[in-house]
């Protein structure tokens, strides 16, 4: 179903509250995003710091502590020759600074390990590890426990894995793999997280405290501006209402009365004309119905400008006049004004009438319809005014098709917190629906 939404309006106080609510929500979102960013940054920084320190410690341990105890006898698996290496490694294992150690030869063989089952076994090494042989470079990362040679470490959880290139006592290249506890990583992460969180959240709070008064000031300005605009609208509507009333009174007490008097005088004039004044009699006979028709049109215009009775019964009567005029144009009109309209204010009655009048006027001029229905109801403390027809449906560009009156109504409704929509009906035709709060009229005073 095609639908033309003409704009939604909001009152001044909801706009101010919404501005403050949006400020609070976006501030909360900013805090959450900053907190997430702080956690991610803290984790990354702590991991980088821990890996850097592990690289330094692992490289120093490999070159200065472990490698000097490795010689040809150790490489051939001589347990006696490995005593010095075992001593220095086990001292590190006991104090918890190192968790596991492996010594690799360039052919992928485990020369020595604190895990006895791995000694003498050969594994495929990654290219970056192979590239360490003959250098003093270091590669460090969180342990990859999926590797076959790491099966013994899987029970230890997350570890820092360091591969360091070195030369042994015989100047043969070796790679010493050491695993370090992540306790330092966890402590660094907690320390960095705490400091970054304090810095970021503190900065956000200070910024919020500085911005909040500005936000409150802007919200108050918006509220005052909306209140002033609402007051201007009320004065404009009141002035328009007074002007319509004045015009209706002038037409009723002036022109209509004069024309009515002339209509009463025409029969007297006709009686006074001599029988042989055929042409004059014909003129009078033509003028009499034309004058009566014009008087009726003017009376309808007066009702159109300003219904005399601003009540539900007056609204029904005024809509009856509109229905009669529309029927003369070939459109049958149904009128349904809910009983709840007995308790609404005159401003609601008058605005409802304006909407129904404009809607019916567009049906007569543009819809090529045979029937229209005018409905005024009350739903959820709102007036719901509907004009439906069985015509050709809504145009894509209402203002371009002469529906300027709908745009004016749309602006009026937007300013009082209402809305106006134009849509096509299933089966053909158009539905114009206006909704606006009943309470707007409490502030609408001349």
């Amino acid at each position: 179903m095609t639908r033309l939404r003409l704009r939604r309006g909001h009152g001044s106080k909801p706009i101010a509250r919404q501005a403050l609510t949006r400020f609070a929500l976006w501030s909360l979102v900013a805090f959450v995003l900053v907190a997430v960013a702080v956690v991610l940054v803290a984790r990354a920084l702590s991991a980088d710091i821990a890996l850097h320190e592990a690289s330094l410690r692992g490289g120093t341990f490999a070159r200065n502590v472990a490698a000097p105890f490795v010689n040809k006898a150790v490489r051939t698996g001589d347990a006696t020759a490995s005593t010095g290496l075992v001593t220095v490694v086990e001292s590190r294992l006991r104090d918890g600074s190192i968790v596991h150690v492996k010594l690799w030869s360039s052919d992928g063989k485990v020369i020595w390990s604190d895990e006895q089952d791995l000694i003498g076994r050969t594994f495929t090494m990654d290219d970056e590890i192979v590239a360490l042989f003959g250098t003093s470079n270091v590669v460090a990362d969180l342990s990859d426990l999926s590797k076959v040679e790491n099966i013994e470490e899987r029970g230890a959880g997350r570890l820092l894995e360091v591969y360091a290139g070195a030369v042994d006592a015989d100047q043969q290249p070796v790679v010493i793999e050491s695993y370090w506890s992540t306790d330092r990583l966890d402590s660094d992460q907690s320390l960095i997280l705490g400091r970054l969180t304090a810095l970021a959240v503190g900065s956000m709070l200070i910024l919020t405290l500085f911005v909040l008064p500005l936000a409150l000031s802007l919200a108050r300005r918006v509220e005052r501006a909306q209140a002033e605009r609402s007051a201007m609208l009320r004065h404009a509507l009141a002035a328009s209402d007074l002007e319509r009333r004045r015009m209706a009174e002038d037409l009723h007490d002036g022109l209509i009365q004069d024309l009515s008097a002339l209509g009463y005088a025409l029969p007297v004039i006709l009686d006074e004309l001599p029988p042989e004044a055929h042409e004059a009699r014909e003129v009078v006979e033509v003028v009499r119905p034309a004058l009566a028709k014009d008087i009726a049109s003017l009376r309808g215009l007066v009702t159109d400008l300003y219904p005399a009775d601003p009540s539900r019964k007056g609204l029904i009567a005024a809509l009856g006049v509109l229905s009669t005029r529309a029927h003369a144009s070939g459109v049958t009109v149904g009128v349904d004004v809910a009983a709840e309209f007995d308790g609404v204010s005159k401003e609601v009655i008058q605005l409802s009438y304006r909407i129904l009048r404009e809607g019916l006027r567009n049906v007569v001029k543009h819809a090529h319809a045979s029937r229209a229905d005018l409905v005024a109801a009350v739903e959820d403390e709102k007036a719901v005014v509907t004009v439906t027809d069985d015509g050709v449906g809504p145009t894509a560009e209402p203002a371009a098709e002469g529906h300027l009156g709908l745009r004016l109504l749309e602006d009026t409704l937007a300013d009082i917190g209402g809305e106006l929509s134009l849509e096509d009906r299933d089966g053909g035709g158009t539905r114009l629906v206006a909704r606006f709060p009943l309470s707007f009229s409490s502030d609408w005073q001349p």
Side-chain angles (χ1 to χ4, degrees):
M1 181 174 67
T2 303
R3 187 178 182 89
L4 281 171
R5 176 64 65 185
L6 298 176
R7 284 194 307 261
R8 298 180 68 93
H10 303 281
S12 59
K13 292 183 180 179
I15 286 179
R17 286 198 299 267
Q18 288 173 5
L20 291 175
T21 301
R22 283 196 299 270
F23 176 80
L25 289 177
W26 280 113
S27 297
L28 179 61
V29 170
F31 273 102
V32 172
L33 292 177
V34 168
V36 172
V38 165
V39 171
L40 295 177
V41 170
R43 292 179 62 182
L45 284 177
S46 60
D48 289 343
I49 293 173
L51 289 175
H52 179 69
E53 292 186 355
S55 298
L56 293 177
R57 288 182 290 169
T60 301
F61 171 78
R63 290 187 294 271
N64 301 328
V65 178
F69 289 94
V70 180
N71 52 30
K72 182 177 180 180
V74 174
R75 289 197 301 272
T76 59
D78 186 342
T80 302
S82 302
T83 302
L85 178 62
V86 171
T87 300
V88 297
V89 171
E90 285 185 347
S91 66
R92 301 296 192 281
L93 294 175
R94 282 194 300 270
D95 65 23
S97 59
I98 296 179
V99 179
H100 293 293
V101 176
K102 298 187 187 77
L103 275 70
W104 297 83
S105 63
S106 59
D107 58 358
K109 179 181 177 181
V110 178
I111 298 173
W112 185 89
S113 174
D114 64 297
E115 300 161 328
Q116 298 296 318
D117 294 341
L118 298 178
I119 298 176
R121 295 179 61 181
T122 301
F123 301 93
T124 301
M125 292 185 295
D126 295 338
D127 292 340
E128 63 177 351
I129 307 303
V130 174
L132 294 176
F133 285 97
T135 71
S136 59
N137 296 333
V138 178
V139 174
D141 202 350
L142 289 173
S143 58
D144 182 4
L145 301 181
S146 64
K147 294 180 180 180
V148 177
E149 67 269 21
N150 292 336
I151 189 171
E152 299 292 337
E153 289 86 17
R154 291 177 184 173
R158 189 175 62 161
L159 299 172
L160 295 173
E161 184 177 12
V162 180
Y163 292 87
V167 292
D168 62 13
D170 297 331
Q171 299 302 305
Q172 295 297 314
V174 293
V175 168
I176 299 177
E177 178 184 2
S178 55
Y179 289 86
W180 304 77
S181 172
T182 57
D183 290 344
R184 182 64 178 271
L185 171 63
D186 295 334
S187 63
D188 287 345
Q189 181 171 315
S190 298
L191 178 62
I192 295 173
L193 180 61
R195 292 182 177 179
L196 284 180
T197 301
L199 176 62
V201 173
S203 300
M204 288 289 294
L205 285 174
I206 292 173
L207 178 61
T208 302
L209 291 177
F210 274 104
V211 173
L212 183 59
L214 177 61
L216 291 173
S217 176
L218 290 175
R220 293 191 186 100
R221 290 183 183 181
V222 169
E223 185 170 331
R224 286 196 298 269
Q226 291 295 325
E228 291 172 0
R229 183 180 180 185
S230 180
M232 292 175 63
L233 172 67
R234 293 194 300 269
H235 288 308
L237 291 174
S240 174
D241 180 64
L242 291 173
E243 184 62 20
R244 285 174 173 272
R245 183 188 307 174
R246 186 190 64 78
M247 292 173 61
E249 290 176 350
D250 288 346
L251 285 174
H252 183 270
D253 297 337
L255 182 59
I256 292 178
Q257 296 297 329
D258 293 341
L259 291 178
S260 297
L262 181 58
Y264 292 132
L266 286 177
V268 177
I269 295 173
L270 186 62
D271 291 340
E272 295 296 328
L273 290 174
E276 63 275 9
H278 299 292
E279 293 183 0
R281 287 180 175 274
E282 290 177 0
V283 170
V284 173
E285 293 293 341
V286 170
V287 168
R288 286 181 63 185
L291 183 60
K293 182 179 179 181
D294 289 341
I295 293 173
S297 297
L298 284 173
R299 292 186 187 277
L301 179 60
V302 168
T303 302
D304 199 4
L305 282 172
Y306 190 83
D309 182 6
S311 66
R312 174 174 176 266
K313 293 182 179 179
L315 176 60
I316 295 174
L319 294 178
V321 175
L322 295 181
S323 302
T324 301
R325 294 168 61 186
H327 185 72
S329 300
V331 180
T332 301
V333 180
V335 175
D336 182 11
V337 179
E340 290 82 359
F341 260 67
D342 279 331
V344 302
S345 65
K346 71 173 184 179
E347 292 82 12
V348 172
I349 294 289
Q350 290 168 348
L351 184 54
S352 300
Y353 174 75
R354 285 180 57 190
I355 296 167
L356 293 170
R357 181 190 63 199
E358 187 62 35
L360 182 59
R361 180 180 297 166
N362 280 283
V363 170
V364 173
K365 290 184 178 180
H366 306 289
H368 305 290
S370 61
R371 179 175 177 84
D373 289 285
L374 312 181
V375 179
V378 175
E379 297 178 5
D380 300 326
E381 298 302 318
K382 288 187 176 182
V384 181
V385 180
T386 307
V387 180
T388 57
D389 65 74
D390 59 359
V392 297
T395 58
E397 297 292 340
E401 296 294 332
H403 300 328
L404 181 60
L406 293 183
R407 293 297 185 187
L408 296 175
L409 284 176
E410 171 200 1
D411 291 337
T412 300
L413 290 170
D415 285 329
I416 62 173
E419 62 179 355
L420 186 69
S421 64
L422 185 66
E423 59 192 34
D424 61 348
R425 299 171 57 202
D426 294 334
T430 305
R431 178 183 292 107
L432 176 71
V433 182
R435 291 181 173 84
F436 58 92
L438 298 175
S439 58
F440 91 94
S441 59
S442 62
D443 297 326
W444 188 15
Q445 299 296 333

